[in-house]
Amino acid sequence: MAKPVPAATVEVQEVTELTGLFLEKPPNHVTTVTGKDLILIAKVDSSALVKKPTMKWMKGKWLDLSSKAGAHMQFKETYDRNTKIYTYEMMIHKVVLGDAGAYRCEVTSKDKCDSSSFGISVEACQQDEPVDILSAFKRTDAGEDEGDLDFSALLKAAKKRPEKVEEEVDVWELLKNAHPSEYEKIAFKYGITDLRGMLRRLKKMKVEPKHSEAFLTKLESCYTVDKGKRIVLKCEVMDPNAQVKWLKNGQEIKPSAKYLMETNGNIRTLTINKTTLADDAAYECVVGEDKCFTEVFVKEPPVTITKLMDDYHVVVGERVEFEVEVSEEGGHVMWFYEDQEIVKDTASTKYRFKKEGKKHTLIIQEATLDDIGMYHAWTNGGHTKGELEVEEKQLQVLQDIADLTVKASEQALFKCEVSDDKVTGKWYKDGVEVMPSERIKMTHEGRPITETSGRVRVESRKDLSCFIIEGAEREDEGNYTIVVTNPAGEDKAVLHVKVVDVPDAPEHVKCTSVGEDCATITWEPPKFDGGAQIKGYLMERKKKGSSRWTKLNFDVHEPTTYEAKRMIEGVVYEMRVFAVNSIGLSPPSLTSKPFMPIAPTSAPMRLTVNDVTDSTCTLKWLAPERVGAGGLDGYVIEYCKDGDTEWVTANTDLCERQTFVVRGLPVGEKINFRVVAVNIAGRSPPAVMSQPVTIREIMEHPKIRLPRHLRTKYIRKVGEKINLTIPFQGKPRPVASWFKDGVPIDPKVINVRTTNVDSIFFIRSAEREHSGTYELVLKIENMEDRSSFQLRVVEKPAPPLNVRVTDVWGFNAALEWAPPTDDGNCEVSGYTIQKADMKTKEWFTVYEHNKRTHCTVSDLIMGNEYMFRVYSENMCGLSEEPRNSKNTATIAKTGLQLKQAPYQEKDMSCVPKFTQPLVDRTVVAGYSTAISCAVRGFPKPKIVWMKNKMIIGDDPKYLMQNNQGVVTLNIRKPSTFDGGKYTCVAINELGRDEVECKLNIRVAVDPNRV
């Protein structure tokens, strides 16, 4: 495992400040030397995350380095369960010059995201010996080929002239002065494997800047700007009248208040005002077909802590204020107690948050022993902590009970003073507790104040005593008594001190009702009015998810109920309330629960009667014209007798359809109906009918409406499902009866289901026996209607009978047969005739769809004996089995005799011989190619392919094929390493032969960049 780079080899130019999710980031800039191992570390605290964080390491703007993981670049992730910290490492093994550049690590977790950019500079190793500049371009992920490449087997003169190999050659100078067509030769000669990387570095040297026809001065390679600042991109064009286009990530930028485009002579500038993270992108300036590029990196300045938190040591009941200052006004500060965040919504009255400019304060009203611990303040750029220690108050007796001698029936007054005015005592007499009564009275008064320093103190002079409270607080309110004593007696004076402040925030703000564009809000007065009467309240509202609050009233509102108007239906709002007294405005209340102004729908439309029976009424209506954001949950149907005012609900659950049958109605009564639409906001206005409905069934003659496809013969195949729906009408409900051929149908064979409006005829699997004439009869008292249809169930026919050959002449044979006994319950449409000779017994179709029961088979072969078979055919298809002919037809010979010549086997043995050689080829790198040759030989020769006299094994890069003596070698996406001499060898037991060719791989070069 690689070790981190020693301090001597890594130079950190800047100290990275913590932001967002990162607990530790890589340095902003790292400088290392070639050949060393480099490890970069980032840490993420997952204790506040709901989902495991995901880390991405990027190079440049878009390149995801996970695709480059291997021997050279490795990534590691570890997790500490105790601290809940994820540690991510990126290790670069043996750094090369090509590893230099801008990098970025990006961490995401659900809806949270953070990134950190850093740069790596690579310097050549300083040695006394000459630097091997080629080592940066050797392959490091080539497995067995890793390391220095040895081309001595390909360079024939390498052994003869070793001194030439040892000569020092400046490859950079060679590439600078060489024509692009010579790049491949130089790379092959000097063992350069990463030619593209070398050419990119050569281009960055800018020894001779490429001449541009459109630009005198191009944009800088990249720009960096702080978030919220302005940045200017500037370039100079050749033609002062040239029109330019500015692109951002390939999309044209339109002029606006944010993007300002200016032309000043040959200078073209793009100014981006108030940059945001969305402006971190690639930009282009286009003049005609020429363009120049740059990248803009937007840095978000972290909010740092300029004043750290102090530790506090207090006693129980004292007030604690943790205060910090941040670098930016309005910066976000998160407060934590130990590892638990202190949130405003859950802070109740124990914690208060105060923000004044850059100052942020956490206030604990009355400290308790449960508050002991470490408190933290976090920003996205810093962290500070302070410890709170709370002690129990040490109770002291300031004045002990004095002995007292009084006369009988006189009052005895015992006094005892302690250090805590909130402590009440118990009185005992001879060890038994004394309880208050009419004779014995106990009082508890505040503690005496005798301090001469501090916030509350007493200053005494000869004839004057001053009681001073500096920075009055709520706890200072109460009755104060001054007691003056001397040997002659004592005197008292009572003073009430009232401390006024802004009131606490109102409580329990909630929405009690909503309308289409209004909502009613209620709340409770604050627990503490600040010592002054509450004059009224101010209300604010905002849309959920927004941070912009809108004032609802400018004059104070005295009641604790307010109707907010001019709201948008369907939008979710939140409310908060401020209390106002003579001192000022209270902090805002906790935000109310989100609510949505919605209103009931309009009334349903076109309520009509669809059907009436002796006890039911079927109603139909249309949906309301206006539904609104509250949607539509369903309908409530109500009815009442004409002249009555008590409406009865007909449905227990909401009706979602726009039709309903009201049941259980009295016969002959006049009934009024109405329908109400219901949604989350309540009931809509009702839809009513203009006049009542008389509940009495109307007589209607029965009528069968036979479907059109049943008016002709209805044909189905055996095994198919039959499902017929026969609609009808008639009132009252008709009685339906089914008959087959005049006989009532068997319900065990045929299923029938009848409703008020139709009758369903169902057969699960049709059989031949189901064929016949079916009749449906409808009856209402003495009225009836009939309708019938014919059902025919068909299947494949039986084979024909008595197939025989009746005559044979020349090359022809005549066949005859009789029709089948079973036609499958439908007409036989034809016959299919097949023949087969007695030698092969393979059947061939002679005729299809033959209408007659005889045919003539022609074009028979002389000397063969034939047999025949015939299939019957109807609308279901051919019969399952054919009928074979009882006799055969023999086509006689006409006196020809065959004289067979003696057969002599020929020796086909042959030494392998290439009939088509390999041809030298030059191909472009990256495009698949193939080399082919042709060989003959018997027995079939074995083919062996070789590259540079080395046998090509089962390398998936190569595909070898041999098709009828044509031998092909397919090379998939060749690179410069695949060039060389290829040999094809054919070997069998009689000998061998070989051919060879030379394959050159060239790299495509853009002529516009030469």
Side-chain angles (χ1 to χ4, degrees):
M1 179 177 174
K3 297 181 180 179
V5 179
T9 60
V10 178
E11 179 185 343
V12 180
Q13 296 187 357
E14 297 180 21
V15 177
T16 305
E17 295 182 348
L18 296 178
T19 62
L21 302 177
F22 283 105
L23 196 61
E24 180 181 333
K25 291 184 179 181
N28 282 351
H29 199 87
V30 177
T31 302
T32 186
V33 296
T34 57
K36 298 291 185 179
D37 293 347
L38 176 63
I39 293 182
L40 296 163
I41 298 176
K43 294 184 178 180
V44 176
D45 186 359
S46 64
S47 58
L49 302 180
V50 298
K51 190 177 180 182
K52 177 185 176 183
T54 303
M55 174 69 76
K56 282 187 179 179
W57 297 88
M58 317 284 284
K59 182 175 182 182
K61 193 69 177 176
W62 314 111
L63 179 59
D64 190 347
L65 294 178
S66 60
S67 60
K68 303 295 183 183
H72 179 60
M73 192 170 288
Q74 299 175 359
F75 303 93
K76 183 180 177 183
E77 174 186 329
T78 57
Y79 177 64
D80 189 338
R81 294 183 180 275
N82 297 325
T83 60
K84 296 184 180 180
I85 293 177
Y86 283 88
T87 302
Y88 300 91
E89 296 183 5
M90 180 180 75
M91 194 270 284
I92 304 177
H93 181 65
K94 294 184 179 179
V95 177
V96 297
L97 294 176
D99 294 326
Y103 289 78
R104 186 170 81 256
C105 57
E106 198 174 89
V107 61
T108 57
S109 177
K110 202 172 182 181
D111 55 349
K112 296 183 179 181
C113 179
D114 198 4
S115 65
S116 174
S117 300
F118 59 94
I120 297 179
S121 297
V122 181
E123 297 178 352
C125 183
Q126 302 295 328
Q127 299 177 353
D128 296 335
E129 301 173 2
V131 177
D132 183 9
I133 197 168
L134 303 182
S135 61
F137 299 91
K138 302 295 185 181
R139 286 187 296 175
T140 59
D141 56 351
E144 295 178 356
D145 296 334
E146 183 179 349
D148 295 338
L149 298 177
D150 185 8
F151 292 96
S152 59
L154 300 178
L155 302 174
K156 294 181 179 180
K159 292 184 179 179
K160 296 180 181 180
R161 293 177 290 178
E163 59 278 1
K164 237 182 183 180
V165 178
E166 296 176 359
E167 288 182 0
E168 293 184 6
V169 178
D170 191 348
V171 183
W172 294 105
E173 291 298 326
L174 284 177
L175 291 174
K176 287 180 188 176
N177 301 323
H179 191 271
S181 61
E182 300 293 325
Y183 288 162
E184 292 182 25
K185 282 187 179 180
I186 296 173
F188 181 78
K189 184 175 181 180
Y190 294 100
I192 301 302
T193 59
D194 190 7
L195 178 62
R196 292 189 180 184
M198 201 165 184
L199 292 175
R200 281 197 297 268
R201 282 190 61 81
L202 185 67
K203 183 179 178 181
K204 289 182 179 179
M205 287 179 163
K206 297 184 179 180
V207 178
E208 295 181 4
K210 181 181 174 182
H211 177 69
S212 173
E213 297 181 356
F215 294 91
L216 287 173
T217 305
K218 293 190 175 183
L219 297 169
E220 298 291 337
S221 60
C222 64
Y223 295 80
T224 303
V225 63
D226 291 331
K227 179 183 174 183
K229 301 295 184 181
R230 186 182 69 171
I231 186 172
V232 179
L233 312 182
K234 183 186 295 185
C235 64
E236 187 175 359
V237 298
M238 295 282 290
D239 184 4
N241 298 320
Q243 298 294 323
V244 301
K245 288 183 180 179
W246 292 92
L247 307 180
K248 174 184 176 182
N249 287 338
Q251 301 294 322
E252 185 175 357
I253 302 174
K254 301 297 183 183
S256 62
K258 183 177 182 64
Y259 299 102
L260 301 179
M261 304 172 189
E262 297 180 345
T263 300
N264 185 9
N266 294 60
I267 305 298
R268 302 292 186 270
T269 59
L270 170 65
T271 303
I272 307 175
N273 293 315
K274 296 182 179 179
T275 54
T276 64
L277 294 179
D279 297 318
D280 188 296
Y283 292 81
E284 304 174 34
C285 181
V286 181
V287 179
E289 296 184 356
D290 204 353
K291 58 181 71 174
C292 58
F293 305 84
T294 189
E295 282 188 275
V296 174
F297 297 94
V298 180
K299 295 194 301 184
E300 187 174 9
V303 178
T304 58
I305 296 177
T306 57
K307 180 182 177 183
L308 300 180
M309 190 188 302
D310 295 328
D311 296 335
Y312 275 86
H313 187 101
V314 297
V315 296
V316 173
E318 288 189 354
R319 177 187 175 104
V320 179
E321 294 186 2
F322 287 106
E323 183 179 287
V324 296
E325 286 189 14
V326 295
S327 58
E328 290 189 14
E329 189 168 339
H332 181 60
V333 177
M334 298 174 64
W335 295 93
F336 285 80
Y337 170 61
E338 299 295 349
D339 58 350
Q340 183 177 0
E341 184 178 1
I342 304 173
V343 186
K344 288 185 179 180
D345 295 342
T346 60
S348 67
T349 58
K350 181 171 185 174
Y351 300 102
R352 289 183 60 190
F353 300 91
K354 190 176 179 183
K355 186 189 296 185
E356 296 179 355
K358 298 180 181 181
K359 282 187 179 182
H360 294 257
T361 308
L362 171 66
I363 302 173
I364 303 175
Q365 299 289 1
E366 294 182 0
T368 64
L369 295 177
D370 294 334
D371 298 325
I372 297 175
M374 193 68 70
Y375 290 79
H376 304 261
W378 287 90
T379 66
N380 65 347
H383 163 244
T384 182
K385 61 183 179 180
E387 186 177 5
L388 174 63
E389 295 181 0
V390 183
E391 288 185 355
E392 288 277 11
K393 283 186 176 180
Q394 296 295 327
L395 191 63
Q396 297 179 355
V397 177
L398 303 179
Q399 180 179 343
D400 204 348
I401 301 174
D403 294 337
L404 188 65
T405 302
V406 295
K407 295 180 180 180
S409 73
E410 288 186 357
Q411 183 186 47
L413 180 64
F414 295 96
K415 291 184 180 180
C416 178
E417 291 185 5
V418 294
S419 59
D420 192 347
D421 59 340
K422 295 182 180 180
V423 173
T424 58
K426 292 183 179 180
W427 292 89
Y428 291 85
K429 176 184 177 184
D430 298 330
V432 179
E433 184 177 356
V434 178
M435 305 304 294
S437 62
E438 293 183 0
R439 191 174 65 87
I440 302 174
K441 295 183 179 180
M442 302 176 186
T443 59
H444 172 76
E445 299 179 359
R447 63 182 176 87
I449 302 173
T450 57
E451 292 91 341
T452 57
S453 62
R455 190 177 64 87
V456 180
R457 64 183 187 273
V458 175
E459 294 181 358
S460 298
R461 302 176 189 171
K462 184 176 180 181
D463 55 353
L464 178 67
S465 179
C466 296
F467 174 57
I468 301 172
I469 302 176
E470 293 183 355
E473 297 179 355
R474 293 183 187 178
E475 293 78 4
D476 298 327
E477 184 173 333
N479 293 319
Y480 291 81
T481 305
I482 180 171
V483 180
V484 181
T485 59
N486 65 6
E490 68 176 21
D491 193 12
K492 295 182 180 179
V494 178
L495 173 67
H496 180 72
V497 175
K498 187 174 184 180
V499 179
V500 293
D501 192 5
V502 296
D504 287 347
E507 298 180 341
H508 305 125
V509 180
K510 59 183 177 181
C511 175
T512 57
S513 63
V514 294
E516 182 179 358
D517 61 349
C518 60
T520 302
I521 308 299
T522 62
W523 61 91
E524 294 181 5
K527 289 184 177 180
F528 177 65
D529 60 3
Q533 183 180 0
I534 300 293
K535 291 186 175 182
Y537 303 91
L538 297 177
M539 281 66 68
E540 290 183 350
R541 77 173 181 218
K542 74 176 181 69
K543 296 178 182 178
K544 185 179 180 182
S546 173
S547 58
R548 180 181 177 184
W549 288 92
T550 303
K551 289 186 178 297
L552 299 182
N553 62 319
F554 294 94
D555 296 329
V556 293
H557 180 76
E558 294 184 5
T560 57
T561 302
Y562 182 78
E563 184 179 6
K565 298 183 179 181
R566 300 179 66 181
M567 307 176 86
I568 302 174
E569 185 180 9
V571 176
V572 180
Y573 290 92
E574 294 175 334
M575 296 278 290
R576 67 182 183 184
V577 182
F578 297 83
V580 182
N581 65 4
S582 59
I583 305 302
L585 196 67
S586 75
S589 67
L590 295 178
T591 305
S592 68
K593 290 184 178 180
F595 61 90
M596 179 191 300
I598 51 176
T601 68
S602 60
M605 299 189 302
R606 299 183 185 178
L607 176 62
T608 58
V609 175
N610 188 52
D611 190 17
V612 179
T613 67
D614 288 342
S615 61
T616 65
C617 180
T618 303
L619 303 176
K620 282 189 175 181
W621 61 90
L622 296 180
E625 182 179 5
R626 182 188 59 78
V627 174
L632 178 61
D633 296 336
Y635 301 93
V636 174
I637 297 88
E638 298 175 335
Y639 66 91
C640 72
K641 293 181 181 181
D642 190 24
D644 200 352
T645 59
E646 183 178 353
W647 290 90
V648 179
T649 302
N651 55 323
T652 55
D653 298 326
L654 291 178
C655 175
E656 296 182 358
R657 296 185 298 175
Q658 294 170 10
T659 180
F660 188 79
V661 179
V662 182
R663 304 181 186 277
L665 299 175
V667 181
E669 289 284 350
K670 291 185 178 181
I671 303 295
N672 290 313
F673 295 95
R674 70 181 184 184
V675 178
V676 177
V678 179
N679 69 359
I680 192 174
R683 294 163 55 103
S684 72
V688 298
M689 303 184 66
S690 58
Q691 58 186 4
V693 178
T694 303
I695 308 304
R696 181 176 291 110
E697 192 161 28
I698 303 171
M699 185 72 70
E700 182 179 356
H701 286 270
K703 178 65 176 177
I704 300 174
R705 300 186 179 278
L706 192 67
R708 185 181 299 274
H709 66 278
L710 295 179
R711 295 175 186 175
T712 59
K713 192 175 294 183
Y714 187 63
I715 301 175
R716 306 300 291 174
K717 295 179 182 180
V718 171
E720 289 185 343
K721 180 173 67 176
I722 300 176
N723 191 357
L724 303 175
T725 301
I726 314 297
F728 58 77
Q729 62 187 35
K731 290 185 179 180
R733 177 176 175 174
V735 177
S737 302
W738 282 90
F739 298 88
K740 177 188 176 186
D741 299 329
V743 180
I745 63 173
D746 185 0
K748 297 181 180 179
V749 179
I750 300 174
N751 296 318
V752 173
R753 184 170 62 86
T754 303
T755 65
N756 292 337
V757 294
D758 57 28
S759 183
I760 299 174
F761 178 91
F762 179 73
I763 300 176
R764 187 174 300 277
S765 180
E767 300 293 341
R768 290 272 294 274
E769 295 76 13
H770 294 143
S771 300
T773 301
Y774 290 85
E775 185 179 25
L776 173 62
V777 180
L778 289 182
K779 287 188 177 181
I780 301 178
E781 296 180 355
N782 58 348
M783 299 179 291
E784 72 172 29
D785 189 22
R786 296 172 178 266
S787 184
S788 62
F789 66 92
Q790 287 187 355
L791 173 64
R792 178 182 290 183
V793 181
V794 299
E795 63 179 345
K796 293 180 179 180
L801 303 175
N802 196 20
V803 179
R804 63 191 181 279
V805 179
T806 58
D807 192 10
V808 177
W809 72 96
F811 302 104
N812 307 306
L815 298 177
E816 287 185 0
W817 59 88
T821 55
D822 182 10
D823 61 0
N825 205 22
C826 65
E827 181 184 358
V828 175
S829 59
Y831 302 90
T832 297
I833 300 94
Q834 294 181 342
K835 69 177 180 179
D837 67 76
M838 299 298 289
K839 294 179 182 178
T840 62
K841 293 187 179 181
E842 293 183 2
W843 293 96
F844 298 92
T845 301
V846 179
Y847 293 107
E848 289 181 330
H849 315 303
N850 186 59
K851 301 291 185 182
R852 300 180 179 85
T853 57
H854 58 84
C855 71
T856 300
V857 181
S858 304
D859 297 330
L860 301 178
I861 299 173
M862 182 185 298
N864 285 359
E865 183 180 2
Y866 291 89
M867 57 181 175
F868 303 90
R869 66 184 184 185
V870 181
Y871 289 89
S872 303
E873 183 179 6
N874 65 4
M875 65 179 297
C876 294
L878 297 176
S879 59
E880 297 289 346
E881 297 292 337
R883 183 73 69 185
N884 293 337
S885 59
K886 295 182 178 180
N887 54 348
T888 61
T890 303
I891 308 302
K893 298 180 181 179
T894 56
L896 296 178
Q897 293 182 355
L898 176 62
K899 294 181 180 180
Q900 293 185 349
Y903 174 73
Q904 184 178 0
E905 187 175 354
K906 186 178 180 180
D907 185 10
M908 301 298 293
S909 299
C910 177
V911 177
K913 178 66 177 177
F914 283 95
T915 59
Q916 181 66 36
L918 295 172
V919 181
D920 294 346
R921 296 196 63 184
T922 300
V923 298
V924 179
Y927 292 87
S928 299
T929 186
I931 54 177
S932 302
C933 59
V935 64
R936 69 182 178 188
F938 189 82
K940 184 178 179 180
K942 177 184 177 183
I943 304 300
V944 178
W945 284 95
M946 305 174 68
K947 174 190 173 187
N948 298 331
K949 301 304 181 183
M950 299 293 291
I951 295 177
I952 299 175
D954 296 333
D955 191 337
K957 189 178 185 71
Y958 300 97
L959 176 62
M960 307 169 197
Q961 296 176 323
N962 185 353
N963 185 15
Q964 299 295 329
V966 178
V967 184
T968 305
L969 176 65
N970 292 284
I971 307 174
R972 181 177 176 273
K973 294 184 179 180
S975 63
T976 53
F977 301 103
D978 296 316
K981 203 171 276 187
Y982 286 81
T983 306
C984 181
V985 182
I987 306 171
N988 68 3
E989 59 188 20
L990 299 178
R992 61 177 284 167
D993 193 13
E994 67 178 44
V995 291
E996 66 179 20
C997 71
K998 186 176 181 181
L999 179 65
N1000 293 323
I1001 310 296
R1002 65 181 181 85
V1003 179
V1005 179
D1006 187 356
N1008 295 327
R1009 298 191 177 186
V1010 178

